[in-house]
Every structure is written in structure tokens, then in C-alpha cells.
């Protein structure tokens, strides 16, 4: 399995992402701060125009108050244009705060001084400026606000005989400004630290997600991650091979993709009192192991799919490999005495004094030694099945020659075979191996067919999508009983008298050695064996 490995996210990349996110965040914050400024200026203008005579706003200079609030609104609208073009953030923020301080100081003057309470508006301005600027220049802004309030009250004391005792109120305003600025500075530091930590955690989580995805994709078992609603959140290619393609789509309900597995998942989720994992077989060839995502099964599950046919095939291969080594050694030991027995029987048969009974017994000895010799050769052929020398050749020309030779050697009528050639492809196969496979299949078909014209059909077809060639050998005999079909390719299984039971087993092993596949296809009548082999792309 080939996997496209994506590089992990480095801290430098994470830092660049954090900077880009922070830049976007501060400009967005400045935008909303300017919205607050525009709304505040608009409310002051509305109050002054509708209830100017009954409120202290503009009580000293009503005209100045109205003009200032009007220009304050125009300034707020102009700031939207500067924010849109991303013009020098620090300078723009400092300029806006300075204008806010100057405008509120003048509005305080037009509203009969510090007693109007308009100086409280600067608390919001300083807090917002400190948070937006991430704590930078917050104390400087507080100092500017304190100076503006003190100067305004000093001017009132000198020119309008304001109370000197109200300097205490101005001092309280100044202390509140510095306290607000310091609080905003501290909160901004915590916000910056939290943002950096969040950016680092984001990098770590993304790396862990990539590692998890690579591990899942490289697993031999199929993996499906399903949430509490039964929706597929993650999967690997092995799961697609077992259950069918998802075409890269996620968020697919499990009930639509695999209804049988969905029913098992629902039954597993409802049984909360059982163990935290469960092995379920929802298909005769597939097993499923469900592990909860969280502490409760209602949160979802990770479903591990095991291809039971692959496991059974691996176990069978291990067993047969051990048997093969043993039988090969035994076969070598049997061959020598078997040759001696066969040679002695031939010498006895040549004796002139041998009577008919002795000749019949000698014939039995020769027949059985020949049978044992065939079995020994078949056992040794199993050991050599994985050695192939593949070549490219036209399968149609090969089959025509093969049928002709097969009929001559087996003394059969050539009309017994019917060739249906729907394509003329090249195949990649060891010619001697294909000859061995076809010889076995055609001999079995000739043994069980009705012996009429066209009783054995050999069909050639291609599958362009999967670049494979299909060779079908079909007879019109009684077929294989259903209870015996699962044992067809088992070694030493035979239904023919005198057979070794290794023919189909060796044929399948030979196909595996050539990256091909031999299967029995269930049909209504007769028996059909199909060889799926690789097509070779060549110009015809």
C-alpha cells in the first residue's frame, strides 16, 4: 500500500499561522471598537438634539456640543475606510484614541465641566484600546486621558470659577483611568499567552491527527470511526476494500454504507453493561471489533474490520507450507524404492515362465506404482509452483494450439470443445504453468461432461477497467454438489477414482505464483472454472 505522507506542521509554521490569525483578530477588534465609537457619538448627537434643554449635555456651549458630536460621527465613518485598507495599525489606533480623548474633553467642557460625568466614557475607550493593542501603550493612553481631564478642570477653575474641590473628582477619574489601563494590560498579557498556547496546541493536535491518519491508513485491518449518530467520520483504504468504495466521502451514515454493520453497531451501543470492546461477526467473511471512543458507547466507536478470508488463507498457507515440506521429503524418499519396485515388476513380466495370474498381479503392481509416481510428481510440483517465468503471449493462439494438442493426446473429438473468443488479448503468464492449469481444468471437464458436441466451452473475455483477462472453462455435466464446493481446492480432496486430489490445488497455487486467480463460479448447471490473469498492453 502506498501512502502520500504529508509533512508534519513545524513550530515555525504554527507561529506564522498564529501571527496571521492575530493580525486578522486585531483588525476585526478595531472595527468593532469603531462601531462602538460611531454608536456613542450618534447617541450623544441624538440626545443633544432631542432633549438638549433638559439634560446637562451642552449646557455651557450647546452649539459646540452639537458640532463636536457631528464631527465625531464623521470621524468614526472615516476610520472605517482606514481600517478597510489596513493602514498602519499602531499609528491608527493611537490617533483614534487621541481623538477620543480630545473629543470627550471638549464635550466635557461644553457640558459645564467634570460634573457632567462624560469623563466616564474614557474608561471604555482605555479598556478597549488596551485589549486591542495587546497591552501596548495602555499606560500612555491613561496618562493622556488624565492630563486632558486635569487640564479641562484647571481651565474651568481659572475661567469659570469652578470649584477647586472638584480636583478630587478629577483625581479619581485619573486613578480610574490608570487602573483600567493596568487591568487591560494584564488581561491582554494573559490573552496573548493563551493565544500562543492555543496556537501551539493547534499545531500539536494537527500533527497528532496526521500521525493518526497515517497509522490508520497503514493498518492491515479496516478501520471506521463512527460518531454517536452512526455517521462515518474517518476510514482507511482497507475498509473500502472490505466493504466497498466511499470515493473519499465522509459524513456518510453507516446505515447507507453498510446496513448489516450498522445494525450490529446499534445493538452494541445499546448494551452499555457489557465489556468496553466486543467482537462481532456481521458477515461470513468479515469480523468486526468495536471499541468505544469515550467512556460511554453513546459517543461513538472505532470499528476494526478483519478480513476473515485473508486470515483463514494465511493460516491455511502456513499449514500447507509445513505439510508441503514434510510431504516433499517423504516423496523424495518414496521415489527410489518405488523405481526399484517398478523395475522389478517389468523384469518379472519379461520372464517366459510367468503364468496369467502372475501377469495380472504384475499389472496391478505396475498400475499402482504409476499412480504412486504421479502422486509423488504432484507433490513435488507443489513445491515448484511458486517459481514462474512469466512471458507475454496471445492467449487466443495459445488456446487453439492447446485444444488441438489436448484432443490428440487424450484421443478426444475436437468438436467436443467450443471456443468463444470475445477478445484477442496478450497475457502475462508462465506458458508451462498456464498449460498445466488448462490441462487440469479441461481433463476434469472432459471426465464429467456429456461428451456431446460443444460440451466443453472455453471462453476468452477481458475486463478493461481492471486490466484482466478471463478464461472460462465450462462443461455441461452434473456440476459440483454444493456441500463439496468449499473443499474443491483443498489438497488431497478428490471425487475421481484413482485421483491424487492435488490437481485443482496445484492449479490455484500456480495461478497465485503468476499473480492470477482461479475460482469456481456457481452456475445453475454444469461446472465453471475461471482464471483471472493480468493483461499485457501491447499493440495487436
Amino acid at each position: 500500500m502506498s501512502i502520500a505522507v504529508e509533512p508534519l506542521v513545524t513550530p515555525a509554521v504554527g507561529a506564522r499561522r498564529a501571527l496571521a490569525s492575530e493580525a486578522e483578530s486585531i483588525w476585526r477588534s478595531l472595527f468593532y471598537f469603531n462601531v462602538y465609537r460611531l454608536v456613542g457619538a450618534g447617541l450623544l448627537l441624538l440626545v443633544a438634539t432631542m432633549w438638549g434643554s433638559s439634560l446637562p449635555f451642552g449646557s455651557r456651549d450647546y452649539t459646540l456640543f452639537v458640532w463636536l458630536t457631528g464631527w465625531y460621527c464623521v470621524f468614526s465613518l472615516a476610520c472605517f475606510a482606514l481600517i478597510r485598507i489596513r493602514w498602519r495599525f499602531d499609528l491608527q489606533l493611537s490617533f483614534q484614541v487621541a481623538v477620543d480623548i480630545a473629543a470627550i474633553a471638549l464635550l466635557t467642557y461644553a457640558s459645564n465641566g467634570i460634573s457632567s460625568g462624560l469623563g466616564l466614557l474614557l474608561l471604555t475607550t482605555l479598556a478597549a484600546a488596551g485589549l486591542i493593542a495587546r497591552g501596548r501603550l495602555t499606560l500612555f493612553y491613561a496618562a493622556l486621558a488624565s492630563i486632558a481631564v486635569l487640564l479641562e478642570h484647571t481651565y474651568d477653575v481659572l475661567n469659570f470659577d469652578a470649584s477647586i474641590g472638584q480636583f478630587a473628582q478629577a483625581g479619581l477619574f485619573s486613578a480610574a483611568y490608570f487602573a483600567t489601563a493596568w487591568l487591560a494590560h494584564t488581561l491582554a498579557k494573559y490573552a496573548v499567552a493563551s493565544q500562543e498556547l492555543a496556537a501551539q496546541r493547534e499545531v500539536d493536535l494537527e500533527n497528532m491527527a496526521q500521525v493518526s491518519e497515517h497509522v490508520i491508513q497503514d493498518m492491515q485491518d479496516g478501520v471506521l470511526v463512527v460518531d454517536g449518530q452512526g455517521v462515518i467520520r474517518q476510514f482507511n483504504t482497507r475498509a473500502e476494500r472490505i466493504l466497498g468504495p466511499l470515493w473519499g466521502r465522509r459524513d456518510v451514515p453507516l446505515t447507507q454504507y453498510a446496513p448489516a454493520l450498522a445494525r450490529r453497531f446499534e445493538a452494541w451501543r445499546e448494551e452499555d453493561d457489557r465489556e468496553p470492546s466486543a467482537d462481532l461477526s456481521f458477515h461470513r467473511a468479515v469480523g468486526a471489533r468495536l471499541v468505544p471512543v469515550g467512556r460511554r458507547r453513546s459517543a461513538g466507536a472505532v470499528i476494526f474490520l478483519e478480513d476473515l478470508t485473508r486470515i483463514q488463507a494465511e493460516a491455511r498457507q502456513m499449514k500447507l507450507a509445513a505439510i508441503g515440506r514434510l510431504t516433499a521429503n517423504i516423496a523424495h524418499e518414496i521415489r527410489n524404492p518405488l523405481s526399484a519396485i517398478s523395475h522389478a515388476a517389468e523384469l518379472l513380466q519379461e520372464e517366459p515362465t510367468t503364468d496369467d495370474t502372475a501377469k495380472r498381479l504384475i499389472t496391478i503392481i505396475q498400475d499402482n506404482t504409476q499412480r504412486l509416481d504421479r502422486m509423488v510428481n504432484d507433490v513435488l510440483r507443489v513445491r515448484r509452483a511458486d517459481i514462474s517465468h512469466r512471458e507475454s503471449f496471445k492467449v487466443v493462439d495459445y488456446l487453439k494450439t492447446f485444444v488441438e494438442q489436448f484432443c490428440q493426446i487424450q484421443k478426444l473429438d475436437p468438436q467436443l470443445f467450443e471456443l468463444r473468443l470475445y477478445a484477442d488479448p496478450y497475457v502475462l503468464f508462465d506458458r508451462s504453468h498456464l498449460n498445466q492449469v488448462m490441462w487440469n481444468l479441461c481433463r476434469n471437464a472432459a471426465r464429467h461432461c456429456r461428451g456431446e458436441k460443444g460440451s466443453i466451452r472455453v471462453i476468452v473475455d477481458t475486463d478493461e477497467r481492471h486490466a484482466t483477462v478471463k478464461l472460462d472453462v465450462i462443461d455441461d455435466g452434473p456440476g459440483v454438489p454444493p456441500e463439496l464446493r468449499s473443499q474443491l481446492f483443498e489438497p488431497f480432496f478428490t471425487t475421481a477414482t484413482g485421483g491424487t486430489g492435488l490437481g485443482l490445488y496445484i492449479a490455484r497455487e500456480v495461478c497465485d505464483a503468476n499473480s492470477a486467480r482461479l475460482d469456481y463460479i456457481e452456475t445453475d448447471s454444469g461446472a465453471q472454472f475461471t482464471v483471472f490473469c493480468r493483461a499485457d498492453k501491447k499493440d495487436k
Side-chain angles (χ1 to χ4, degrees):
M1 184 191 308
S2 61
I3 300 175
V5 180
E6 298 179 0
L8 298 180
V9 180
T10 62
V13 174
R16 288 196 295 270
R17 290 182 181 179
L19 288 175
S21 177
E22 180 182 2
E24 184 64 28
S25 175
I26 60 178
W27 281 110
R28 187 167 55 250
S29 300
L30 186 59
F31 172 82
Y32 289 119
F33 177 47
N34 196 61
V35 171
Y36 158 75
R37 179 185 295 112
L38 179 61
V39 172
L43 287 176
L44 288 175
L45 181 60
L46 180 64
V47 168
T49 55
M50 295 186 64
W51 299 287
S53 59
S54 59
L55 295 176
F57 300 149
S59 57
R60 176 177 292 167
D61 192 338
Y62 180 77
T63 303
L64 177 62
F65 188 90
V66 173
W67 276 97
L68 275 174
T69 52
W71 281 107
Y72 200 24
C73 292
V74 174
F75 170 75
S76 301
L77 293 174
C79 288
F80 282 114
L82 296 176
I83 294 172
R84 185 178 181 83
I85 64 175
R86 300 291 197 269
W87 177 75
R88 302 183 65 175
F89 175 80
D90 290 332
L91 182 60
Q92 185 177 167
L93 177 62
S94 299
F95 177 68
Q96 291 183 18
V97 172
V99 171
D100 289 340
I101 293 172
I104 293 175
L106 290 173
L107 290 174
T108 300
Y109 163 77
S111 301
N112 205 22
I114 199 171
S115 59
S116 64
L118 290 175
L120 293 174
L121 295 177
L122 289 177
L123 294 175
T124 306
T125 299
L126 293 174
L131 293 175
I132 294 173
R134 300 296 189 265
R136 296 190 300 270
L137 299 176
T138 52
L139 297 179
F140 172 71
Y141 299 151
L144 286 180
S146 300
I147 292 171
V149 169
L150 291 173
L151 286 177
E152 191 279 329
H153 188 61
T154 302
Y155 184 81
D156 285 348
V157 169
L158 295 177
N159 292 278
F160 296 99
D161 295 329
S163 174
I164 296 177
Q166 288 184 327
F167 271 112
Q169 188 176 355
L172 290 175
F173 274 128
S174 300
Y177 296 157
F178 277 99
T180 302
W182 180 258
L183 180 60
H185 174 75
T186 304
L187 292 177
K189 285 176 59 178
Y190 281 116
V192 171
S194 299
Q195 187 174 9
E196 292 177 353
L197 181 61
Q200 181 61 39
R201 291 293 182 267
E202 182 182 0
V203 172
D204 295 340
L205 289 175
E206 188 169 349
N207 288 337
M208 290 178 63
Q210 289 186 13
V211 171
S212 300
E213 186 171 354
H214 295 330
V215 171
I216 289 175
Q217 290 295 332
D218 201 37
M219 291 182 66
Q220 292 298 319
D221 293 335
V223 177
L224 289 175
V225 181
V226 183
D227 63 13
Q229 286 71 40
V231 178
I232 299 173
R233 297 300 182 185
Q234 197 169 2
F235 58 90
N236 64 354
T237 54
R238 186 65 184 173
E240 291 186 284
R241 292 179 183 176
I242 295 175
L243 299 178
L246 275 167
W247 310 112
R249 297 180 296 122
R250 297 186 182 182
D251 300 334
V252 177
L254 189 61
T255 53
Q256 296 181 7
Y257 180 54
L261 181 58
R263 290 192 294 270
R264 290 293 184 181
F265 171 71
E266 290 296 333
W268 169 85
R269 187 171 57 178
E270 293 174 359
E271 298 176 359
D272 290 332
D273 56 336
R274 289 180 56 186
E275 296 296 325
S277 63
D279 294 322
L280 303 171
S281 179
F282 73 97
H283 191 274
R284 65 180 181 86
V286 180
R289 182 166 59 91
L290 288 83
V291 179
V293 173
R295 294 184 177 180
R296 299 185 60 85
R297 297 187 178 188
S298 58
V302 180
I303 304 176
F304 296 94
L305 302 173
E306 296 177 338
D307 188 353
L308 300 181
T309 57
R310 178 179 61 85
I311 297 175
Q312 293 169 359
E314 291 177 355
R316 185 173 65 250
Q317 288 297 327
M318 293 176 63
K319 177 181 177 181
L320 293 177
I323 295 176
R325 289 192 294 268
L326 176 63
T327 53
N329 292 331
I330 295 175
H332 281 294
E333 296 297 328
I334 291 175
R335 170 164 282 184
N336 291 330
L338 190 63
S339 299
I341 294 172
S342 178
H343 183 63
E346 291 177 357
L347 292 177
L348 287 174
Q349 195 174 23
E350 293 175 358
E351 291 290 332
T353 59
T354 306
D355 57 11
D356 293 337
T357 302
K359 289 182 178 180
R360 184 170 59 83
L361 294 176
I362 291 170
T363 302
I364 293 174
I365 293 173
Q366 288 179 333
D367 291 341
N368 282 276
T369 53
Q370 290 175 1
R371 181 187 175 193
L372 287 174
D373 186 63
R374 289 199 309 271
M375 186 176 294
V376 168
N377 290 330
D378 287 342
V379 169
L380 294 177
R381 199 173 292 121
V382 173
R383 298 285 292 168
R384 298 190 294 268
D386 58 345
I387 304 174
S388 63
H389 303 282
R390 278 177 276 184
E391 56 182 307
S392 177
F393 56 90
K394 273 192 174 183
V395 70
V396 171
D397 295 341
Y398 161 80
L399 287 176
K400 292 178 180 178
T401 304
F402 170 80
V403 170
E404 182 180 351
Q405 294 177 352
F406 181 81
C407 292
Q408 289 177 355
I409 296 174
Q410 297 291 321
K411 297 181 177 149
L412 298 173
D413 185 357
Q415 294 186 351
L416 185 67
F417 284 84
E418 178 185 351
L419 291 179
R420 296 183 182 179
L421 309 175
Y422 297 111
D424 189 12
Y426 284 83
V427 295
L428 278 174
F429 218 103
D430 188 316
R431 193 186 293 264
S432 62
H433 281 178
L434 184 58
N435 194 71
Q436 184 178 350
V437 172
M438 294 300 298
W439 193 276
N440 184 279
L441 296 179
C442 291
R443 187 172 57 188
N444 288 340
R447 185 185 299 123
H448 296 96
C449 72
R450 298 177 183 177
E452 302 174 355
K453 180 180 179 180
S455 289
I456 302 175
R457 302 191 305 276
V458 180
I459 303 174
V460 179
D461 203 353
T462 58
D463 186 349
E464 298 292 341
R465 180 179 177 185
H466 297 95
T468 57
V469 177
K470 291 176 56 182
L471 303 179
D472 297 320
V473 179
I474 307 172
D475 64 68
D476 58 358
V480 181
E483 63 273 11
L484 300 179
R485 291 173 184 174
S486 61
Q487 307 176 52
L488 273 177
F489 298 99
E490 295 290 336
F492 306 111
F493 171 77
T494 180
T495 57
T497 304
T500 63
L502 292 173
L504 287 176
Y505 170 71
I506 295 174
R508 173 169 276 190
E509 292 295 313
V510 165
C511 288
D512 289 341
N514 288 269
S515 298
R517 190 174 83 250
L518 172 60
D519 287 335
Y520 174 77
I521 308 299
E522 297 185 3
T523 57
D524 295 334
S525 62
Q528 175 179 347
F529 290 88
T530 302
V531 179
F532 300 90
C533 50
R534 289 178 56 189
D536 187 25
K537 295 181 180 180
K538 281 192 174 183
D539 295 330
K540 298 181 180 179

